[in-house]
């Protein structure tokens, strides 16, 4: 417990990336009457917390995620993204080298220091500022405010309320708000961060399905192809120091900046 906080966030759900014990083979499957041993999941999150994580990363969670394309609308307009392969390449770049990577590293650090208000607030301030365009900032800050507002009421926790009182009118990145909620409700970062990345990828693929357009099956093919990227980015992010944080995705920033003056738009970014 952090002195004076009045609540505790367990360190048991934090730590460095370790392999998820899902490949133990047939022996672990036969050890459980249903054919699967769900003990590894229980170690990462209690059932109620797992339900919360599924809700928080669902497209139905009212953060307004459906209204943002992260510059993808411009990329489709000018012709650089026109099929499944192009969508996978674009989203892979967002997650591996763009703001998805930035958010992944900051998510991991925020989750790890959620029990320390001073350290957490420093990460939150960095996350709010680490945006390459005005629409990128809008995308993150609006969703962060919406997530915090809804989650404080639906899944209340003193840590969320305390953070809300501390930040006042200052913007909060979506990744930071969710990292705090996950840490407060005992969801291990090894489970929460891949879920966050999957949600980001799925939202961009959904935008592509509407913009190109792609068929629904092609959208799911794109999400399936992005699975290894999500795993790789999540594991790397949990082991990356803040001093090494940076991006190398100028074309993504250009797409976002040019989208600001795009004549006909369906999306806010």
């Amino acid at each position: 417990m952090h002195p004076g906080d009045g609540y505790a966030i367990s360190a048991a759900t934090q730590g460095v990336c370790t392999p998820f014990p899902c490949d133990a083979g047939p022996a672990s499957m036969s050890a459980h009457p249903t054919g699967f041993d769900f003990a590894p999941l229980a170690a990462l999150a209690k059932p109620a917390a797992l339900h919360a994580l599924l809700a928080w990363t669902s497209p139905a969670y009212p953060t307004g995620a459906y209204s943002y394309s992260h510059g993808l609308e411009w990329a489709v307009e000018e012709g650089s993204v026109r099929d499944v392969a192009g969508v996978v390449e674009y989203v892979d770049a967002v997650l591996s080298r763009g703001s998805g990577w930035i958010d992944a590293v900051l998510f991991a650090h925020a989750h790890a220091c959620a029990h320390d208000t001073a350290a957490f607030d420093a990460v939150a301030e960095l996350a709010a500022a680490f945006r390459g365009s005005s629409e990128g900032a809008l995308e993150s800050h609006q969703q962060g405010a919406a997530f915090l507002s809804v989650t404080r009421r639906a899944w209340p926790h003193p840590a969320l309320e305390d953070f809300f009182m501390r930040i006042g009118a200052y913007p909060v990145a979506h990744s930071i708000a969710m990292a705090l909620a996950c840490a407060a409700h005992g969801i291990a970062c090894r489970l929460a961060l891949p879920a966050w990345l999957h949600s980001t990828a799925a939202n961009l693929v959904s935008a592509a399905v509407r913009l190109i357009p792609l068929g629904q099956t092609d959208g799911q093919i794109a999400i399936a192809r992005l699975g290894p990227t999500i795993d790789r980015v999540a594991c790397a992010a949990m082991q990356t120091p803040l001093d090494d944080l940076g991006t190398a995705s100028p074309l993504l920033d250009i797409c976002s900046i040019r989208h600001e003056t795009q004549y006909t738009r369906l999306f806010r970014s």
Side-chain angles (χ1 to χ4, degrees), residues 45-71:
K46 295 179 180 179
L50 182 58
H51 293 317
L53 180 63
L54 292 172
W56 299 339
T57 55
S58 166
Y61 207 65
T63 61
Y66 66 88
S67 64
Y68 298 98
S69 81
H70 206 78

Side-chain angles (χ1 to χ4, degrees), residues 57-268:
T57 55
S58 166
Y61 207 65
T63 61
Y66 66 88
S67 64
Y68 298 98
S69 81
H70 206 78
L72 179 60
E73 187 168 19
W74 170 260
V76 172
E77 172 74 16
E78 59 92 24
S80 61
V81 176
R82 58 174 65 94
D83 53 21
V84 172
V87 172
V88 171
E89 184 178 6
Y90 191 95
V91 179
D92 182 276
V94 171
L95 299 181
S96 301
R97 303 182 297 280
S99 65
W101 166 249
I102 295 298
D103 276 324
V105 175
L106 293 171
F107 185 112
H109 281 272
H111 190 286
C113 67
H115 61 286
D116 183 334
T117 56
F120 181 86
D121 289 354
V123 175
E125 183 177 358
L126 177 61
F130 217 131
R131 305 295 147 184
S133 69
S134 62
E135 286 191 348
L138 173 70
E139 181 177 338
S140 177
H141 299 164
Q142 187 277 331
Q143 291 185 77
F147 181 93
L148 188 58
S149 175
V150 174
T151 308
R152 284 172 51 231
R153 297 187 63 183
W155 283 273
H157 190 281
L160 296 174
E161 198 63 34
D162 184 52
F163 178 61
F164 175 76
M165 297 301 294
R166 293 199 311 272
I167 61 171
Y170 286 98
V172 56
H174 188 190
S175 56
I176 297 302
M178 184 168 162
L180 178 59
C182 289
H185 287 280
I187 304 171
C189 196
R190 297 192 303 279
L191 185 63
L193 183 51
W196 158 263
L197 290 167
H198 178 274
S199 176
T200 300
N203 185 65
L204 293 180
V205 170
S206 175
V209 167
R210 288 170 278 168
L211 285 167
I212 293 177
L214 294 178
Q216 295 293 336
T217 300
D218 282 341
Q220 294 307 308
I221 289 171
I223 291 174
R225 290 181 182 176
L226 288 163
T229 297
I230 291 170
D231 292 340
R232 172 176 51 80
V233 170
C235 195
M238 293 185 69
Q239 301 177 73
T240 299
L242 282 179
D243 288 344
D244 293 342
L245 184 59
T247 60
S249 55
L251 289 180
L252 292 177
D253 291 335
I254 289 172
C255 286
S256 178
I257 292 169
R258 289 184 174 175
H259 183 269
E260 295 173 4
T261 56
Q262 188 171 335
Y263 182 71
T264 301
R265 300 187 298 175
L266 295 176
F267 294 87
R268 299 181 71 185

Side-chain angles (χ1 to χ4, degrees), residues 8-57:
I9 297 178
S10 173
T13 58
Q14 302 160 10
V16 298
C17 183
T18 57
F20 187 75
C22 60
D23 56 351
S28 65
M29 295 175 62
S30 61
H32 195 276
T34 64
F36 294 92
D37 182 2
F38 290 97
L41 272 179
L44 296 177
K46 295 179 180 179
L50 182 58
H51 293 317
L53 180 63
L54 292 172
W56 299 339
T57 55

